[in-house]
Amino acid sequence: MLGGRLSDRIGRKRTSLLGLTMQGIAAGTMFSIMNSMNFPASATIIAPALCGIQVTAGTQAAFFSEALPTSMRYTGSALGMTMAGLIFGAPIPFVAAWIFQNTENGTLALTCIGLGLVILS
């Protein structure tokens, strides 16, 4: 809701960049904080990550409706979101667990991957 309202006021691109900035800040520190096993610190860093995700998600409906013609808007957005989640979202926990277990510094590797995905976005 906040992301959608904000995108109507300041624009889709700025709102997406705001959400991605929040996610980038969280991604840069999240894995090392979570690896410390400090629950309050982990909860504190997860909050801006989730807020950033929600802000960017609030702009997605507008992006889809502006990018697709009316006749295929629902199908196109549903397929886009579902396929992206299936191809990229579903295997991430398994890949992250494998990377963490099979690299010398799994925390750094996951941080770099997280930051890379935010920058790519």
Side-chain angles (χ1 to χ4, degrees):
M1 185 167 111
L2 173 66
R5 283 187 185 180
L6 199 57
S7 74
D8 288 340
R9 292 191 183 188
I10 67 169
R12 317 264 184 261
K13 187 174 181 180
R14 283 184 174 168
T15 304
S16 287
L17 289 174
L18 173 66
L20 289 169
T21 300
M22 293 168 73
Q23 292 175 52
I25 291 168
T29 57
M30 182 183 327
F31 296 108
S32 60
I33 290 173
M34 291 178 69
N35 199 30
S36 72
M37 301 299 206
N38 183 336
F39 179 77
S42 295
T44 301
I45 198 61
I46 289 172
L50 294 176
C51 289
I53 290 168
Q54 293 305 316
V55 168
T56 54
T59 62
Q60 286 178 348
F63 276 135
F64 283 130
S65 67
E66 292 169 353
L68 298 169
T70 307
S71 62
M72 64 182 307
R73 191 169 291 160
Y74 184 78
T75 302
S77 63
L79 282 174
M81 291 294 291
T82 303
M83 294 306 288
L86 182 66
I87 294 169
F88 299 106
I92 288 292
F94 302 109
V95 171
W98 183 86
I99 288 171
F100 191 76
Q101 291 176 348
N102 294 302
T103 58
E104 210 170 292
N105 191 348
T107 304
L108 179 62
L110 293 176
T111 299
C112 290
I113 290 169
L115 286 172
L117 290 171
V118 169
I119 290 168
L120 180 65
S121 295

